[in-house]
Amino acid sequence: MKNIPQLYETEQTAASDKMIYQKYEIRTIGFYWLIAELDRKTNTAFGYANLHDDFNAEWGYISIEELLDNGAQLIQDWKPCKFSEAMKMIKEAQGQ
């Protein structure tokens, strides 16, 4: 978590080029969150949320506690990569 940029540090970076440092998911229902920035004091993250709906998926802010309280799990073996690469891996894993 130390290497995740603070909130707003990457706002000048194009979405496809943002580094994704963590992935949380609720695998049974197909929800996932890709974390690009983090405020360590409030545990608020900025990232991409997909609630099993590619059309309505979006970038925004989320509380890490809220994710965990609702059953999301941190993917321990996630390797930081650009958003465009993360989406390619996710689509391949989904067979798309």
Side-chain angles (χ1 to χ4, degrees):
M1 282 180 53
K2 287 190 255 182
N3 58 345
I4 301 175
Q6 289 290 322
L7 292 183
Y8 311 110
E9 275 190 47
T10 69
E11 67 183 351
Q12 299 302 319
T13 304
S16 62
D17 291 333
K18 285 190 188 292
M19 289 297 293
I20 301 301
Y21 293 91
Q22 292 180 328
K23 180 184 182 191
Y24 288 83
E25 67 182 11
I26 303 175
R27 190 169 297 178
T28 57
I29 56 177
F31 289 14
Y32 65 87
W33 296 264
L34 304 175
I35 306 303
E37 299 174 351
L38 180 67
D39 181 325
R40 287 163 193 77
K41 291 179 184 173
T42 65
N43 226 7
T44 300
F46 176 77
Y48 182 80
N50 186 314
L51 307 182
H52 198 63
D53 181 355
D54 291 344
F55 183 73
N56 289 308
E58 63 185 356
W59 289 89
Y61 297 89
I62 187 73
S63 162
I64 297 298
E65 281 89 15
E66 186 178 330
L67 288 177
L68 297 172
D69 288 348
N70 286 288
Q73 295 185 344
L74 175 64
I75 304 305
Q76 296 293 330
D77 61 350
W78 181 261
K79 303 280 189 267
C81 62
K82 288 185 178 183
F83 176 73
S84 57
E85 296 166 5
M87 292 306 297
K88 183 178 177 184
M89 288 187 300
I90 289 168
K91 297 296 181 194
E92 288 174 358
Q94 294 173 342
Q96 296 179 5

Coordinates of all heavy atoms in Angstrom, one line a residue:
M1 N 0.8 -1.2 0.0 CA 0.0 0.0 0.0 C 0.8 1.3 0.0 O 0.4 2.3 -0.4 CB -0.9 0.0 1.2 CG -2.1 -0.8 1.0 SD -3.3 -0.9 2.4 CE -3.6 0.9 2.7
K2 N 2.1 1.2 0.4 CA 2.9 2.3 0.5 C 3.2 3.0 -0.9 O 3.3 4.2 -1.0 CB 4.3 2.0 1.1 CG 4.3 1.7 2.5 CD 5.6 1.6 3.1 CE 6.0 0.2 3.4 NZ 7.3 0.0 3.9
N3 N 3.1 2.2 -2.0 CA 3.4 2.8 -3.3 C 2.2 3.3 -4.0 O 2.3 3.8 -5.1 CB 4.2 1.8 -4.1 CG 3.4 0.5 -4.3 OD1 2.5 0.2 -3.6 ND2 3.9 -0.3 -5.3
I4 N 1.0 3.2 -3.4 CA -0.2 3.7 -4.1 C -0.2 5.2 -3.9 O -0.1 5.7 -2.8 CB -1.5 3.1 -3.4 CG1 -1.5 1.6 -3.5 CG2 -2.7 3.7 -4.1 CD1 -2.6 0.9 -2.8
P5 N -0.4 5.9 -5.0 CA -0.4 7.4 -5.0 C -1.6 7.9 -4.1 O -2.6 7.3 -4.0 CB -0.7 7.8 -6.4 CG -0.2 6.7 -7.2 CD -0.5 5.5 -6.4
Q6 N -1.3 9.1 -3.5 CA -2.4 9.7 -2.7 C -3.5 10.2 -3.7 O -3.3 10.3 -4.9 CB -1.8 11.0 -2.0 CG -0.9 10.6 -0.9 CD -1.6 10.0 0.3 OE1 -2.7 10.4 0.7 NE2 -1.0 9.0 1.0
L7 N -4.7 10.5 -3.1 CA -5.8 11.0 -3.9 C -5.3 12.2 -4.7 O -4.6 13.1 -4.2 CB -7.0 11.3 -3.0 CG -7.7 10.2 -2.3 CD1 -8.9 10.7 -1.5 CD2 -8.1 9.1 -3.3
Y8 N -5.8 12.3 -5.9 CA -5.6 13.4 -6.8 C -4.2 13.4 -7.4 O -3.9 14.2 -8.3 CB -5.9 14.8 -6.2 CG -7.2 14.8 -5.5 CD1 -7.3 14.9 -4.2 CD2 -8.4 14.7 -6.3 CE1 -8.5 14.9 -3.5 CE2 -9.6 14.7 -5.7 CZ -9.7 14.8 -4.3 OH -10.9 14.8 -3.7
E9 N -3.3 12.5 -7.0 CA -1.9 12.6 -7.6 C -1.8 12.2 -9.0 O -0.9 12.6 -9.7 CB -1.0 11.6 -6.8 CG -0.4 12.3 -5.6 CD 0.7 11.4 -4.9 OE1 1.6 10.9 -5.7 OE2 0.7 11.3 -3.7
T10 N -2.8 11.4 -9.5 CA -2.7 10.9 -10.9 C -3.8 11.6 -11.7 O -4.1 11.1 -12.8 CB -2.8 9.4 -11.0 OG1 -4.1 9.0 -10.6 CG2 -1.8 8.7 -10.1
E11 N -4.5 12.6 -11.3 CA -5.6 13.2 -12.0 C -5.2 13.7 -13.4 O -6.1 13.8 -14.3 CB -6.3 14.2 -11.2 CG -5.6 15.5 -10.9 CD -6.4 16.5 -10.1 OE1 -7.6 16.2 -9.8 OE2 -5.8 17.5 -9.7
Q12 N -4.0 14.0 -13.7 CA -3.5 14.4 -15.0 C -3.2 13.2 -15.9 O -2.9 13.4 -17.1 CB -2.3 15.4 -14.9 CG -2.6 16.6 -14.1 CD -3.8 17.4 -14.7 OE1 -3.9 17.6 -15.9 NE2 -4.6 17.9 -13.8
T13 N -3.3 12.0 -15.4 CA -2.9 10.8 -16.1 C -4.2 10.3 -16.8 O -5.2 10.2 -16.2 CB -2.4 9.7 -15.2 OG1 -1.2 10.3 -14.5 CG2 -2.0 8.5 -15.9
A14 N -4.1 10.0 -18.1 CA -5.2 9.4 -18.8 C -5.7 8.1 -18.1 O -4.8 7.3 -17.6 CB -4.8 9.1 -20.2
A15 N -7.0 7.8 -18.1 CA -7.5 6.7 -17.4 C -6.8 5.4 -17.9 O -6.5 4.5 -17.1 CB -9.0 6.6 -17.7
S16 N -6.6 5.2 -19.2 CA -6.0 4.0 -19.7 C -4.6 3.8 -19.2 O -4.0 2.7 -19.1 CB -6.0 3.9 -21.2 OG -5.3 5.0 -21.7
D17 N -3.9 4.9 -18.8 CA -2.5 4.9 -18.3 C -2.4 4.8 -16.8 O -1.3 4.7 -16.3 CB -1.7 6.0 -18.9 CG -1.5 5.9 -20.4 OD1 -1.5 4.8 -20.9 OD2 -1.4 7.0 -21.0
K18 N -3.5 5.0 -16.1 CA -3.4 5.0 -14.6 C -2.9 3.6 -14.2 O -3.3 2.6 -14.7 CB -4.8 5.3 -14.0 CG -5.1 6.7 -14.1 CD -6.4 7.0 -13.2 CE -6.9 8.4 -13.4 NZ -6.0 9.4 -12.9
M19 N -2.0 3.6 -13.2 CA -1.6 2.4 -12.6 C -2.7 1.9 -11.6 O -3.2 2.6 -10.8 CB -0.3 2.5 -11.9 CG 0.9 2.8 -12.8 SD 1.2 1.4 -13.9 CE 1.8 0.1 -12.7
I20 N -2.9 0.6 -11.7 CA -3.9 -0.1 -10.8 C -3.1 -0.9 -9.8 O -2.4 -1.8 -10.2 CB -4.9 -1.0 -11.6 CG1 -5.6 -0.1 -12.6 CG2 -5.8 -1.7 -10.6 CD1 -6.4 1.0 -12.0
Y21 N -3.1 -0.5 -8.5 CA -2.3 -1.1 -7.5 C -3.0 -2.2 -6.8 O -2.3 -3.1 -6.2 CB -1.8 0.0 -6.5 CG -0.9 0.9 -7.2 CD1 -1.4 2.1 -7.8 CD2 0.5 0.7 -7.3 CE1 -0.5 3.0 -8.4 CE2 1.3 1.6 -7.9 CZ 0.8 2.7 -8.5 OH 1.7 3.6 -9.1
Q22 N -4.3 -2.2 -6.7 CA -5.0 -3.2 -6.0 C -6.3 -3.6 -6.7 O -6.8 -2.7 -7.4 CB -5.4 -2.8 -4.6 CG -4.2 -2.6 -3.6 CD -4.7 -2.1 -2.3 OE1 -5.7 -1.4 -2.1 NE2 -4.0 -2.5 -1.2
K23 N -6.7 -4.8 -6.5 CA -8.0 -5.2 -7.0 C -8.8 -5.9 -5.8 O -8.3 -6.7 -5.1 CB -7.9 -6.2 -8.1 CG -9.2 -6.7 -8.7 CD -9.1 -7.8 -9.7 CE -10.4 -8.2 -10.3 NZ -10.3 -9.4 -11.1
Y24 N -10.0 -5.4 -5.7 CA -11.0 -6.0 -4.7 C -12.1 -6.6 -5.5 O -12.4 -6.1 -6.6 CB -11.6 -5.0 -3.8 CG -10.6 -4.5 -2.7 CD1 -9.7 -3.4 -3.0 CD2 -10.6 -5.0 -1.5 CE1 -8.8 -3.0 -2.1 CE2 -9.7 -4.5 -0.5 CZ -8.8 -3.5 -0.8 OH -7.9 -3.0 0.1
E25 N -12.6 -7.7 -5.1 CA -13.7 -8.3 -5.8 C -14.7 -9.1 -4.9 O -14.3 -9.6 -3.8 CB -13.2 -9.2 -7.0 CG -12.5 -10.5 -6.5 CD -12.0 -11.3 -7.7 OE1 -12.0 -10.8 -8.9 OE2 -11.6 -12.4 -7.5
I26 N -15.9 -9.2 -5.4 CA -16.8 -10.2 -4.8 C -17.1 -11.1 -6.0 O -17.9 -10.9 -6.9 CB -18.1 -9.5 -4.4 CG1 -17.8 -8.4 -3.3 CG2 -19.1 -10.6 -3.8 CD1 -19.0 -7.6 -2.9
R27 N -16.3 -12.2 -6.1 CA -16.3 -13.1 -7.2 C -17.6 -13.7 -7.5 O -18.0 -13.9 -8.7 CB -15.2 -14.1 -7.0 CG -14.9 -15.0 -8.2 CD -13.7 -15.8 -8.0 NE -12.5 -14.9 -7.8 CZ -11.3 -15.3 -7.6 NH1 -11.0 -16.6 -7.5 NH2 -10.3 -14.4 -7.4
T28 N -18.4 -14.1 -6.5 CA -19.6 -14.8 -6.7 C -20.7 -14.0 -7.5 O -21.5 -14.6 -8.1 CB -20.2 -15.3 -5.3 OG1 -20.4 -14.1 -4.5 CG2 -19.3 -16.3 -4.6
I29 N -20.6 -12.7 -7.4 CA -21.6 -11.9 -8.1 C -20.9 -11.0 -9.2 O -21.6 -10.2 -9.9 CB -22.4 -11.0 -7.2 CG1 -21.5 -10.1 -6.3 CG2 -23.3 -11.9 -6.3 CD1 -22.3 -9.2 -5.4
G30 N -19.6 -11.2 -9.4 CA -19.0 -10.5 -10.6 C -18.7 -9.0 -10.3 O -18.5 -8.3 -11.3
F31 N -18.6 -8.6 -9.1 CA -18.3 -7.2 -8.8 C -16.7 -7.1 -8.6 O -16.1 -7.9 -8.0 CB -18.9 -6.7 -7.5 CG -20.4 -6.5 -7.6 CD1 -21.2 -7.0 -8.6 CD2 -21.0 -5.8 -6.5 CE1 -22.6 -6.8 -8.6 CE2 -22.4 -5.6 -6.5 CZ -23.2 -6.1 -7.6
Y32 N -16.2 -6.0 -9.1 CA -14.7 -5.7 -8.8 C -14.4 -4.2 -8.8 O -15.1 -3.4 -9.4 CB -13.8 -6.5 -9.8 CG -13.9 -6.0 -11.2 CD1 -13.1 -5.0 -11.7 CD2 -14.7 -6.7 -12.1 CE1 -13.2 -4.6 -13.0 CE2 -14.8 -6.3 -13.5 CZ -14.1 -5.3 -13.9 OH -14.1 -4.9 -15.2
W33 N -13.4 -3.9 -8.1 CA -12.9 -2.5 -7.9 C -11.4 -2.5 -8.2 O -10.7 -3.3 -7.6 CB -13.2 -2.0 -6.5 CG -14.6 -1.9 -6.2 CD1 -15.4 -0.8 -6.3 CD2 -15.5 -3.0 -5.8 NE1 -16.7 -1.1 -6.0 CE2 -16.8 -2.4 -5.6 CE3 -15.3 -4.3 -5.5 CZ2 -17.9 -3.2 -5.2 CZ3 -16.4 -5.1 -5.0 CH2 -17.6 -4.5 -4.9
L34 N -10.9 -1.6 -9.0 CA -9.5 -1.4 -9.3 C -9.0 -0.1 -8.7 O -9.5 0.9 -9.0 CB -9.3 -1.4 -10.8 CG -9.9 -2.6 -11.6 CD1 -9.7 -2.5 -13.1 CD2 -9.2 -3.9 -11.1
I35 N -8.1 -0.2 -7.8 CA -7.6 0.9 -7.0 C -6.4 1.6 -7.6 O -5.4 0.9 -7.8 CB -7.4 0.5 -5.5 CG1 -8.6 -0.2 -5.0 CG2 -6.9 1.7 -4.7 CD1 -9.9 0.5 -5.0
A36 N -6.5 2.9 -7.9 CA -5.4 3.7 -8.5 C -4.8 4.7 -7.5 O -3.7 5.0 -7.6 CB -5.9 4.4 -9.7
E37 N -5.6 5.2 -6.5 CA -5.1 6.2 -5.6 C -5.7 5.8 -4.2 O -6.8 5.2 -4.1 CB -5.6 7.6 -5.9 CG -5.1 8.0 -7.3 CD -5.7 9.4 -7.7 OE1 -6.6 9.9 -7.0 OE2 -5.2 10.0 -8.7
L38 N -5.1 6.3 -3.1 CA -5.5 6.0 -1.8 C -5.2 7.0 -0.8 O -4.0 7.5 -0.7 CB -4.9 4.6 -1.3 CG -5.3 4.1 0.1 CD1 -6.8 3.8 0.1 CD2 -4.5 2.9 0.4
D39 N -6.1 7.5 0.0 CA -5.9 8.3 1.1 C -5.7 7.4 2.3 O -6.7 6.8 2.8 CB -7.0 9.3 1.3 CG -6.8 10.3 2.5 OD1 -6.2 9.8 3.5 OD2 -7.2 11.4 2.4
R40 N -4.5 7.3 2.8 CA -4.2 6.3 3.9 C -4.9 6.7 5.2 O -5.1 5.9 6.1 CB -2.7 6.1 4.0 CG -2.2 5.3 2.9 CD -0.6 5.5 2.8 NE -0.1 5.0 1.6 CZ -0.2 5.6 0.4 NH1 -0.8 6.7 0.3 NH2 0.3 5.1 -0.7
K41 N -5.1 8.0 5.4 CA -5.7 8.5 6.7 C -7.2 8.1 6.8 O -7.6 7.7 7.8 CB -5.5 10.0 6.8 CG -4.1 10.4 7.0 CD -4.0 11.9 7.2 CE -2.5 12.3 7.3 NZ -2.3 13.7 7.2
T42 N -7.9 8.3 5.7 CA -9.3 8.0 5.7 C -9.7 6.6 5.1 O -10.8 6.2 5.1 CB -10.1 9.1 4.9 OG1 -9.7 9.0 3.5 CG2 -9.9 10.5 5.5
N43 N -8.7 6.0 4.5 CA -8.9 4.7 3.8 C -9.9 4.9 2.6 O -10.7 4.0 2.4 CB -9.2 3.6 4.7 CG -8.4 2.4 4.4 OD1 -7.5 2.4 3.6 ND2 -8.7 1.3 5.1
T44 N -9.9 6.1 2.0 CA -10.7 6.3 0.8 C -9.9 6.1 -0.4 O -8.8 6.6 -0.5 CB -11.3 7.7 0.9 OG1 -12.0 7.9 2.1 CG2 -12.1 8.0 -0.4
A45 N -10.4 5.4 -1.4 CA -9.7 5.1 -2.6 C -10.4 5.7 -3.8 O -11.6 6.0 -3.8 CB -9.6 3.6 -2.8
F46 N -9.6 5.9 -4.8 CA -10.1 6.3 -6.1 C -9.8 5.2 -7.1 O -8.7 4.7 -7.1 CB -9.5 7.6 -6.6 CG -10.0 8.0 -8.0 CD1 -11.2 8.6 -8.2 CD2 -9.2 7.8 -9.1 CE1 -11.7 8.9 -9.5 CE2 -9.6 8.1 -10.4 CZ -10.9 8.7 -10.6
G47 N -10.8 4.8 -7.9 CA -10.5 3.7 -8.8 C -11.7 3.5 -9.7 O -12.7 4.3 -9.8
Y48 N -11.7 2.3 -10.3 CA -12.7 1.9 -11.3 C -13.6 0.8 -10.6 O -13.1 -0.2 -10.1 CB -12.0 1.4 -12.5 CG -12.9 1.0 -13.6 CD1 -13.4 1.9 -14.5 CD2 -13.2 -0.4 -13.8 CE1 -14.2 1.5 -15.5 CE2 -14.0 -0.8 -14.9 CZ -14.5 0.2 -15.7 OH -15.3 -0.2 -16.8
A49 N -14.9 1.0 -10.7 CA -15.9 0.1 -10.1 C -16.7 -0.5 -11.2 O -17.3 0.2 -12.0 CB -16.8 0.8 -9.1
N50 N -16.8 -1.9 -11.2 CA -17.6 -2.6 -12.1 C -18.5 -3.5 -11.3 O -18.0 -4.5 -10.7 CB -16.8 -3.3 -13.2 CG -17.7 -4.0 -14.2 OD1 -18.7 -4.6 -13.9 ND2 -17.3 -3.8 -15.5
L51 N -19.8 -3.2 -11.3 CA -20.7 -4.0 -10.5 C -21.5 -5.0 -11.4 O -22.7 -4.9 -11.5 CB -21.7 -3.1 -9.7 CG -21.0 -2.1 -8.8 CD1 -22.0 -1.3 -8.0 CD2 -19.9 -2.7 -7.9
H52 N -20.7 -5.8 -12.1 CA -21.2 -6.8 -13.1 C -22.0 -6.1 -14.2 O -23.1 -6.6 -14.6 CB -22.0 -7.9 -12.4 CG -22.2 -9.1 -13.2 ND1 -21.1 -9.9 -13.6 CD2 -23.3 -9.7 -13.7 CE1 -21.6 -10.9 -14.3 NE2 -22.9 -10.8 -14.4
D53 N -21.6 -4.9 -14.6 CA -22.3 -4.2 -15.6 C -21.3 -3.3 -16.4 O -21.1 -2.1 -15.9 CB -23.4 -3.4 -15.0 CG -24.2 -2.5 -16.0 OD1 -23.9 -2.5 -17.2 OD2 -25.2 -1.9 -15.5
D54 N -20.7 -3.8 -17.4 CA -19.7 -3.0 -18.2 C -20.2 -1.6 -18.6 O -19.5 -0.7 -18.7 CB -19.2 -3.8 -19.4 CG -18.4 -5.0 -19.0 OD1 -18.0 -5.1 -17.8 OD2 -18.2 -5.9 -19.9
F55 N -21.5 -1.5 -19.0 CA -22.1 -0.3 -19.5 C -22.1 0.8 -18.5 O -21.9 2.0 -18.8 CB -23.5 -0.5 -20.1 CG -24.1 0.7 -20.7 CD1 -23.6 1.2 -21.9 CD2 -25.1 1.4 -20.0 CE1 -24.2 2.3 -22.5 CE2 -25.6 2.5 -20.6 CZ -25.2 3.0 -21.8
N56 N -22.3 0.4 -17.2 CA -22.5 1.4 -16.1 C -21.2 1.5 -15.2 O -21.3 2.1 -14.2 CB -23.7 1.2 -15.3 CG -25.0 1.6 -16.1 OD1 -25.1 2.6 -16.7 ND2 -25.9 0.6 -16.2
A57 N -20.2 0.8 -15.6 CA -19.0 0.8 -14.7 C -18.4 2.2 -14.8 O -18.5 2.9 -15.8 CB -18.0 -0.2 -15.3
E58 N -17.7 2.7 -13.7 CA -17.2 4.0 -13.7 C -16.1 4.2 -12.7 O -15.9 3.4 -11.8 CB -18.4 5.0 -13.3 CG -18.9 4.7 -11.9 CD -20.1 5.6 -11.6 OE1 -20.5 6.5 -12.5 OE2 -20.7 5.4 -10.5
W59 N -15.4 5.3 -12.9 CA -14.3 5.8 -12.0 C -15.0 6.6 -10.9 O -16.0 7.3 -11.1 CB -13.3 6.7 -12.7 CG -12.5 5.9 -13.7 CD1 -12.7 5.7 -15.0 CD2 -11.2 5.3 -13.4 NE1 -11.7 5.0 -15.5 CE2 -10.8 4.7 -14.6 CE3 -10.4 5.3 -12.3 CZ2 -9.5 4.1 -14.7 CZ3 -9.2 4.6 -12.3 CH2 -8.8 4.0 -13.5
G60 N -14.5 6.4 -9.7 CA -15.0 7.2 -8.6 C -14.3 6.9 -7.3 O -13.3 6.2 -7.3
Y61 N -14.9 7.3 -6.2 CA -14.3 7.2 -4.8 C -15.1 6.1 -4.1 O -16.3 6.0 -4.2 CB -14.3 8.5 -4.1 CG -13.5 9.5 -4.8 CD1 -14.0 10.3 -5.8 CD2 -12.2 9.7 -4.5 CE1 -13.3 11.3 -6.5 CE2 -11.4 10.6 -5.2 CZ -11.9 11.4 -6.2 OH -11.1 12.3 -6.8
I62 N -14.3 5.4 -3.2 CA -15.0 4.3 -2.4 C -14.2 4.1 -1.1 O -13.0 4.3 -1.1 CB -15.0 2.9 -3.2 CG1 -15.8 1.9 -2.5 CG2 -13.6 2.5 -3.5 CD1 -17.3 2.1 -2.5
S63 N -14.9 3.8 -0.1 CA -14.3 3.5 1.2 C -13.8 2.1 1.2 O -14.6 1.2 0.9 CB -15.3 3.7 2.3 OG -14.9 3.1 3.5
I64 N -12.6 1.8 1.5 CA -12.1 0.5 1.6 C -12.8 -0.3 2.7 O -13.1 -1.5 2.5 CB -10.5 0.5 1.9 CG1 -9.8 1.1 0.7 CG2 -10.0 -1.0 2.1 CD1 -9.9 0.5 -0.6
E65 N -13.1 0.4 3.8 CA -13.9 -0.3 4.9 C -15.3 -0.8 4.3 O -15.7 -1.9 4.6 CB -14.1 0.6 6.1 CG -12.9 0.7 7.0 CD -12.0 1.8 6.6 OE1 -12.4 2.7 5.8 OE2 -10.8 1.8 7.0
E66 N -15.9 0.1 3.5 CA -17.2 -0.3 2.9 C -17.1 -1.5 2.0 O -17.9 -2.4 2.0 CB -17.8 0.9 2.1 CG -19.2 0.7 1.6 CD -19.7 1.9 0.9 OE1 -19.3 3.0 1.2 OE2 -20.5 1.7 0.0
L67 N -16.0 -1.5 1.3 CA -15.8 -2.7 0.4 C -15.7 -4.0 1.3 O -16.4 -5.0 1.0 CB -14.5 -2.6 -0.4 CG -14.5 -1.6 -1.6 CD1 -13.2 -1.5 -2.2 CD2 -15.6 -2.0 -2.6
L68 N -14.8 -3.9 2.3 CA -14.6 -5.1 3.1 C -15.9 -5.5 3.9 O -16.2 -6.6 4.0 CB -13.5 -4.8 4.1 CG -12.1 -4.6 3.4 CD1 -11.1 -4.2 4.4 CD2 -11.7 -5.8 2.6
D69 N -16.6 -4.5 4.4 CA -17.8 -4.7 5.1 C -18.9 -5.4 4.3 O -19.8 -6.1 4.8 CB -18.4 -3.4 5.7 CG -17.6 -2.9 6.9 OD1 -16.8 -3.6 7.4 OD2 -17.9 -1.7 7.2
N70 N -18.8 -5.2 3.0 CA -19.8 -5.8 2.1 C -19.3 -7.1 1.4 O -19.9 -7.5 0.4 CB -20.2 -4.8 1.0 CG -21.2 -3.8 1.7 OD1 -22.3 -4.1 2.0 ND2 -20.7 -2.6 1.9
G71 N -18.2 -7.6 1.9 CA -17.7 -8.9 1.4 C -16.7 -8.9 0.3 O -16.3 -10.0 -0.2
A72 N -16.2 -7.7 -0.1 CA -15.2 -7.7 -1.1 C -13.9 -8.2 -0.5 O -13.6 -8.0 0.7 CB -15.0 -6.3 -1.6
Q73 N -13.1 -8.9 -1.3 CA -11.8 -9.4 -0.8 C -10.7 -8.8 -1.7 O -10.8 -8.7 -2.9 CB -11.8 -10.9 -0.9 CG -12.7 -11.6 0.0 CD -12.6 -13.1 0.0 OE1 -12.0 -13.7 -0.9 NE2 -13.2 -13.7 1.0
L74 N -9.6 -8.4 -1.0 CA -8.4 -8.0 -1.7 C -7.8 -9.1 -2.4 O -7.5 -10.2 -1.8 CB -7.4 -7.3 -0.7 CG -6.1 -6.9 -1.3 CD1 -6.2 -5.8 -2.3 CD2 -5.2 -6.5 -0.1
I75 N -7.4 -9.0 -3.7 CA -6.7 -10.0 -4.4 C -5.3 -9.9 -4.1 O -4.6 -9.0 -4.5 CB -7.0 -9.9 -6.0 CG1 -8.5 -9.9 -6.2 CG2 -6.3 -11.0 -6.7 CD1 -9.3 -11.1 -5.7
Q76 N -4.8 -10.9 -3.3 CA -3.4 -10.8 -2.8 C -2.3 -10.9 -3.9 O -1.3 -10.4 -3.7 CB -3.3 -12.0 -1.8 CG -4.1 -11.8 -0.6 CD -3.8 -10.6 0.3 OE1 -2.7 -10.2 0.4 NE2 -4.8 -10.0 0.9
D77 N -2.6 -11.7 -4.9 CA -1.5 -11.9 -5.9 C -1.6 -10.8 -7.1 O -1.0 -11.0 -8.1 CB -1.5 -13.3 -6.4 CG -2.8 -13.7 -7.1 OD1 -3.8 -12.9 -7.1 OD2 -2.8 -14.8 -7.7
W78 N -2.4 -9.8 -6.9 CA -2.5 -8.7 -8.0 C -1.2 -8.1 -8.2 O -0.5 -7.6 -7.2 CB -3.6 -7.7 -7.6 CG -3.8 -6.7 -8.6 CD1 -3.2 -5.4 -8.6 CD2 -4.5 -6.8 -9.8 NE1 -3.6 -4.7 -9.7 CE2 -4.4 -5.6 -10.5 CE3 -5.3 -7.8 -10.4 CZ2 -5.0 -5.3 -11.7 CZ3 -5.9 -7.6 -11.6 CH2 -5.8 -6.4 -12.3
K79 N -0.8 -7.9 -9.4 CA 0.5 -7.2 -9.7 C 0.1 -5.9 -10.3 O -0.7 -5.8 -11.3 CB 1.3 -8.0 -10.8 CG 1.6 -9.4 -10.3 CD 2.8 -9.4 -9.4 CE 3.3 -10.8 -9.2 NZ 2.8 -11.4 -8.0
P80 N 0.7 -4.8 -9.8 CA 0.3 -3.4 -10.4 C 0.6 -3.4 -11.9 O 1.6 -3.9 -12.4 CB 1.3 -2.5 -9.6 CG 1.5 -3.2 -8.3 CD 1.6 -4.7 -8.7
C81 N -0.4 -2.8 -12.6 CA -0.3 -2.6 -14.0 C -1.1 -1.5 -14.5 O -1.9 -0.9 -13.7 CB -0.7 -3.9 -14.7 SG -2.4 -4.4 -14.4
K82 N -1.0 -1.0 -15.7 CA -1.8 0.0 -16.2 C -3.3 -0.4 -16.3 O -3.5 -1.6 -16.5 CB -1.3 0.5 -17.6 CG 0.0 1.3 -17.6 CD 0.3 1.7 -19.0 CE 1.6 2.6 -18.9 NZ 1.9 3.1 -20.2
F83 N -4.2 0.5 -16.2 CA -5.6 0.2 -16.3 C -5.9 -0.6 -17.6 O -6.7 -1.6 -17.6 CB -6.5 1.5 -16.2 CG -7.9 1.2 -16.4 CD1 -8.7 0.6 -15.4 CD2 -8.5 1.6 -17.6 CE1 -10.0 0.4 -15.6 CE2 -9.9 1.4 -17.8 CZ -10.6 0.8 -16.8
S84 N -5.4 -0.2 -18.7 CA -5.6 -0.8 -20.0 C -5.2 -2.3 -19.9 O -5.9 -3.2 -20.5 CB -5.0 -0.1 -21.2 OG -3.6 0.0 -20.9
E85 N -4.1 -2.6 -19.3 CA -3.6 -4.0 -19.1 C -4.5 -4.7 -18.2 O -4.8 -5.9 -18.4 CB -2.2 -4.0 -18.6 CG -1.2 -3.4 -19.6 CD 0.2 -3.1 -19.0 OE1 0.4 -3.4 -17.8 OE2 1.0 -2.4 -19.7
A86 N -4.9 -4.1 -17.1 CA -5.8 -4.7 -16.1 C -7.1 -5.2 -16.8 O -7.6 -6.3 -16.6 CB -6.1 -3.8 -15.0
M87 N -7.7 -4.3 -17.6 CA -8.9 -4.6 -18.3 C -8.8 -5.7 -19.3 O -9.6 -6.6 -19.4 CB -9.5 -3.3 -19.0 CG -10.0 -2.3 -18.0 SD -11.1 -2.9 -16.7 CE -12.5 -3.4 -17.8
K88 N -7.6 -5.8 -19.9 CA -7.4 -6.9 -20.9 C -7.3 -8.2 -20.1 O -7.9 -9.2 -20.5 CB -6.1 -6.6 -21.6 CG -5.7 -7.7 -22.7 CD -4.5 -7.3 -23.4 CE -4.1 -8.5 -24.3 NZ -2.9 -8.3 -25.0
M89 N -6.6 -8.2 -19.0 CA -6.5 -9.4 -18.2 C -7.9 -9.9 -17.7 O -8.2 -11.1 -17.7 CB -5.6 -9.2 -17.0 CG -4.1 -9.2 -17.4 SD -3.0 -9.1 -15.9 CE -3.5 -7.7 -15.1
I90 N -8.7 -8.9 -17.2 CA -10.0 -9.2 -16.7 C -10.9 -9.8 -17.8 O -11.6 -10.8 -17.6 CB -10.6 -8.0 -16.0 CG1 -9.9 -7.7 -14.7 CG2 -12.1 -8.2 -15.8 CD1 -10.2 -6.3 -14.1
K91 N -10.9 -9.2 -18.9 CA -11.7 -9.7 -20.1 C -11.3 -11.1 -20.5 O -12.1 -11.9 -20.8 CB -11.6 -8.7 -21.3 CG -12.2 -7.4 -21.0 CD -13.6 -7.4 -20.7 CE -14.2 -6.0 -20.5 NZ -15.5 -6.0 -19.9
E92 N -10.0 -11.3 -20.5 CA -9.5 -12.7 -20.9 C -9.9 -13.7 -19.8 O -10.3 -14.8 -20.2 CB -8.0 -12.7 -21.0 CG -7.5 -12.0 -22.2 CD -5.9 -11.8 -22.3 OE1 -5.2 -12.2 -21.4 OE2 -5.5 -11.2 -23.3
A93 N -9.9 -13.3 -18.6 CA -10.3 -14.2 -17.5 C -11.8 -14.5 -17.6 O -12.2 -15.6 -17.2 CB -9.9 -13.7 -16.1
Q94 N -12.5 -13.6 -18.1 CA -14.0 -13.8 -18.2 C -14.4 -14.5 -19.5 O -15.5 -14.7 -19.8 CB -14.7 -12.4 -18.2 CG -14.6 -11.7 -16.9 CD -15.2 -10.3 -16.9 OE1 -15.4 -9.7 -17.9 NE2 -15.5 -9.8 -15.7
G95 N -13.3 -14.8 -20.4 CA -13.6 -15.4 -21.6 C -14.1 -14.5 -22.7 O -14.8 -15.0 -23.6
Q96 N -13.8 -13.2 -22.6 CA -14.4 -12.3 -23.6 C -13.3 -11.9 -24.6 O -12.1 -11.8 -24.3 CB -14.9 -11.1 -22.9 CG -16.1 -11.3 -22.1 CD -16.6 -10.1 -21.3 OE1 -16.1 -9.0 -21.6 NE2 -17.5 -10.3 -20.5

